[in-house]
Amino acid sequence: MSREIKTLKTVAEMRAYGTERPLGLVPTLGYLHEGHLSLIRRAREECATVVVSVFVNPLQFGPGEDLARYPRDLERDRELAREAGADAVFIPETAELYPEGYTTEVRVRGIEDVLEGAARPGHFAGVATVLAKLLNIVGPDRIYMGQKDAQQSFLVGRMIQDLNFPTRLVVAPTVREPDGLAMSSRNVYMNEEERAAAAAIPRALSVARDTKSKAPEVLEQTVREEVAKEPLVQLEYVFAMDDATLGPVGPKTGEVLLSVAARVGKTRLIDNVVVGRE
Ligand code: AMP
């Protein structure tokens, strides 16, 4: 694809962008990889206009997290987004989205108490706030998000419903490296040895899924045992939950979301599989 990509930096520019509908938004923190590009390509197939936002949102990083060293390469992102079919990138400065005096926060209750919400206090308030702003600024008909961040995608679906955004959420499958590791901008933090060891995470998830059990204890214990075989990987949590509600698995549960967070050296990674989905 050889067409141009438009760079939009301000809210005013973004709002004035002459767009044909449907408009698809792919929100990202940048440092694009195949996971992001799969979302852009999907949006390209389904929408007349595709906007990719690249914004490392300080609100969703806690103290001591990797905000300062989060990988950034805007030029490369622009080029990759263009090749994947995006029409425009929206790349606001922090002060553009959070000018002096900014104080509003969006909270999606409940979500904050489990999984990444419990592990990273304040994270999902930051995510919900920036996504509510992006939905208002970009005004997309569809928003494309990844199964990789299942809880984040769930939160956006909830917020869209609760706040009546006229946007449809599309959740696309996790894109993986050949050894199964879920693609992530954070994978570059790992050295060679850590990177090889990290494959234990998706391996453990798939061994658990292959038990064909939907019992949380069985799934969680299988992941614990499998991850324990790789000394370089420290499991932070593993939880099996009802995929439809993110509540406990019960008699009415259809699909089970099995989620893990783990550390490989200093790098924190998350991943999940849905058990019971074809
Ligand atoms: P991020 O830049 O990490 O905030 O990710 C931006 C979007 O891309 C989110 O909706 C993620 O869920 C999605 N994403 C990240 N990694 C992957 C992956 N490996 N496969 C599919 N989607 C992904």
Side-chain angles (χ1 to χ4, degrees), residues 148-176:
K148 157 83 175 17
D149 300 277
Q151 193 180 8
Q152 171 175 275
S153 300
F154 185 93
L155 168 150
V156 172
R158 189 72 253 168
M159 183 179 74
I160 284 174
Q161 223 179 310
D162 290 355
L163 297 184
N164 308 95
F165 284 105
T167 304
R168 207 180 92 202
L169 170 66
V170 179
V171 181
T174 302
V175 177
R176 298 178 178 281

Side-chain angles (χ1 to χ4, degrees), residues 27-29 33 35-36 39 70 145-146 148-149 152 173-175 183:
T28 79
L29 301 182
H33 52 66
H36 301 117
L39 301 180
Y70 198 86
M145 308 201 64
K148 157 83 175 17
D149 300 277
Q152 171 175 275
T174 302
V175 177
M183 294 209 178

Side-chain angles (χ1 to χ4, degrees), residues 245-261:
T245 62
L246 292 194
V249 173
K252 290 195 181 141
T253 299
E255 296 172 338
V256 176
L257 178 69
L258 182 61
S259 308
V260 301

Side-chain angles (χ1 to χ4, degrees), residues 58-67 120-121 123:
L59 251 55
Q60 71 190 67
F61 288 79
E65 291 187 358
D66 55 346
L67 174 63
R120 303 179 66 188
H123 172 65

